[in-house]
Amino acid sequence: MLQYKPIADHNTVSLDGVSAQALSDTIGAIYDCALDPHQWPDACRSISDLCESSAGGICVHDMKHTQNDQLFVFGYQTEFLEKLGSHYMQSPMAEADIVSNIGDVRALSMNPSDLLGTRFFRDVLKPFGIQDIIWFPALRTAGRMASMHASRRVNVEHYQKRDIDLFRLLAPHVSRALAISDALDIRTLNSEILERTLDALVAGVFLTAGDGRVVYMNAAAERQIRTGNSIRIINNRLSPIDRAARAALSRAIEQAGSDDVDIDMTAYSLAIPDAQGTGYVATVLPVQSGRRRSTVAPFAASCAVFMQDPVQAPLMPGEAFARLHQLTGSELRVLLALAQGLGGKEAADMLGISEPTVRTHLKHIFSKTGTSRQTKLLQLLHNSTPPIRAPQRTVL
């Protein structure tokens, strides 16, 4: 029989077999994670220890890309996590989470008759000696959900009411801590704002894990993969069509994702050609540690690959470039006309001014930008071009 009793100075309860101090320390550790997500591995272990579990952690389910990323996990074999990720959408957990509320605790053993005969049990759990998983949805945002879980192996009994009640007791605290981290845009989960920002880039952005798996693609990267002229994804890894490029990219990603990589190493660029003599220029950048790691850690990435199409023309800098160099509106109009490849006469005709006026504006622009030749001026403008695509307009 479960016995609940108040803990002095804390708005929580104690479970039989769990000391008040252990429960209080664990809840405190959970809230410490809100401001320092690096502490989640220890907090996950503490929670799992309280319910006598051999493995556990936090999982992010990306419904948009049908992806399952394990964060802060311990006690699992890599092969099991890969199997769990590929079979998650067909698992009893996914089915339950569709209708579950945040904090609803479930265990696979609650419905043993619905589990033992399933392919999920036969192909995913049984080969790795796992007989029961307990979990709850802890945070839900657009397109993805995070859950905390723990598991027991076959030589331990299934989760009992005591364990489920313990998880129910801790679930609100875990959910609040994750919500705080997500609101503060700290490294706990995929950031919706970061994802929207990356989707605005002209360059394809691929983030890969240490083993080369692609864990995130922005919108431009997805378009590049769908086209399939230069780059594809095979076995969840980037695979250029060109054999030499495939080997070179694989080496670059492996080097960038190694544990002993120098985070300040110069970015490595290579060609990703297609059969028509065009293609992409790829830049590989390590994100294993340091400040760069804090930016992309929500995607559990150790390497970033930027895939740029040299032919694509992004948005011209316009007003920002004019403000930087104190150009007048008339001078900027002349500069943008010349940037389109027009000569002085064509620019004058398009703008409705005389050719001498174009030359006068150009002279002033040279003086303000510290250039003396049109090629240098246009190069300066090109170097100031933002890496984003002009918004698409629907013509009715």
Side-chain angles (χ1 to χ4, degrees):
M1 177 69 66
L2 289 171
Q3 297 180 350
Y4 297 91
K5 54 185 178 181
I7 298 178
D9 302 323
H10 291 281
N11 295 320
T12 186
V13 296
S14 176
L15 294 166
D16 185 32
V18 179
S19 71
Q21 188 62 52
L23 199 55
S24 178
D25 290 345
T26 300
I27 293 173
I30 289 171
Y31 284 108
D32 287 341
C33 297
L35 297 179
D36 184 8
H38 282 134
Q39 297 190 42
W40 271 118
D42 290 337
C44 290
R45 285 182 179 273
S46 296
I47 293 172
S48 295
D49 287 344
L50 288 181
C51 63
E52 300 175 353
S53 302
S54 59
I58 295 175
C59 180
V60 177
H61 321 298
D62 190 325
M63 306 306 180
K64 177 181 177 183
H65 299 104
T66 61
Q67 197 168 289
N68 182 285
D69 292 325
Q70 297 288 342
L71 305 180
F72 318 120
V73 295
F74 70 95
Y76 294 112
Q77 299 178 43
T78 302
E79 294 80 5
F80 169 73
L81 295 177
E82 292 177 352
K83 269 274 180 83
L84 179 63
S86 62
H87 289 74
Y88 170 76
M89 295 307 296
Q90 294 79 40
S91 72
M93 294 180 290
E95 296 175 10
D97 288 343
I98 292 175
V99 295
S100 294
N101 295 316
I102 297 300
D104 285 353
V105 177
R106 295 175 182 267
L108 293 179
S109 55
M110 284 181 172
N111 299 294
S113 59
D114 296 337
L115 174 66
L116 296 180
T118 64
R119 182 177 178 182
F120 179 76
F121 178 80
R122 183 179 70 251
D123 294 347
V124 181
L125 300 183
K126 188 175 180 180
F128 296 94
I130 295 175
Q131 75 160 347
D132 205 358
I133 297 178
I134 187 172
W135 81 97
F136 60 87
L139 182 66
R140 184 179 281 118
T141 63
R144 62 173 57 86
M145 184 183 70
S147 62
M148 171 163 280
H149 58 86
S151 65
R152 284 179 175 174
R153 301 187 64 81
V154 292
N155 56 343
V156 183
E157 67 176 359
H158 289 101
Y159 288 108
Q160 304 298 310
K161 184 177 185 299
R162 168 196 176 280
D163 307 302
I164 294 172
D165 283 351
L166 174 61
F167 252 52
R168 284 175 178 157
L169 183 66
L170 297 176
H173 304 293
V174 172
S175 300
R176 290 182 197 124
L178 288 176
I180 292 170
S181 289
D182 195 56
L184 294 177
D185 197 22
I186 298 179
R187 292 167 282 182
T188 306
L189 298 172
N190 290 331
S191 165
E192 296 288 338
I193 296 175
L194 176 58
E195 184 169 344
R196 287 196 295 269
T197 300
L198 293 176
D199 279 346
L201 299 181
V202 171
V205 179
F206 300 87
L207 302 181
T208 70
D211 60 0
R213 290 180 304 108
V214 176
V215 297
Y216 173 79
M217 295 184 291
N218 71 343
E222 291 179 350
R223 288 191 294 269
Q224 292 169 353
I225 293 298
R226 283 197 302 270
T227 301
N229 295 331
S230 300
I231 187 81
R232 297 174 182 171
I233 289 184
I234 298 178
N235 295 327
N236 206 23
R237 287 164 174 78
L238 287 172
S239 180
I241 302 299
D242 182 83
R243 181 179 300 177
R246 191 184 314 142
L249 182 60
S250 179
R251 287 194 301 270
I253 291 176
E254 182 179 0
Q255 179 184 357
S258 62
D259 292 335
D260 58 350
V261 66
D262 180 3
I263 196 63
D264 295 321
M265 67 174 279
T266 303
Y268 182 69
S269 295
L270 64 155
I272 310 293
D274 60 19
Q276 286 72 45
T278 57
Y280 304 117
V281 174
T283 302
V284 181
L285 196 65
V287 291
Q288 185 67 28
S289 59
R291 186 178 300 275
R292 214 178 279 134
R293 171 66 175 164
S294 71
T295 304
V296 297
F299 303 100
S302 64
C303 175
V305 180
F306 300 89
M307 203 80 66
Q308 176 67 47
D309 184 350
V311 177
Q312 281 190 321
L315 203 63
M316 297 303 289
E319 183 180 352
F321 186 86
R323 288 182 179 276
L324 183 64
H325 298 286
Q326 290 84 50
L327 303 184
T328 66
S330 297
E331 290 165 353
L332 177 60
R333 292 175 65 215
V334 168
L335 175 58
L336 295 180
L338 296 175
Q340 297 177 39
L342 300 179
K345 186 178 186 307
E346 292 84 359
D349 292 342
M350 187 184 77
L351 298 175
I353 58 179
S354 68
E355 191 173 353
T357 301
V358 169
R359 288 196 294 269
T360 299
H361 285 319
L362 188 56
K363 181 180 178 180
H364 293 161
I365 296 170
F366 284 152
S367 175
K368 292 179 178 181
T369 59
T371 57
S372 57
R373 296 167 53 192
Q374 189 168 321
T375 54
K376 292 292 185 182
L377 173 62
L378 294 181
Q379 182 180 5
L380 180 64
L381 178 67
H382 174 75
N383 291 342
S384 304
T385 299
I388 59 174
R389 188 185 309 277
Q392 299 293 319
R393 292 181 174 84
T394 303
V395 179
L396 301 178

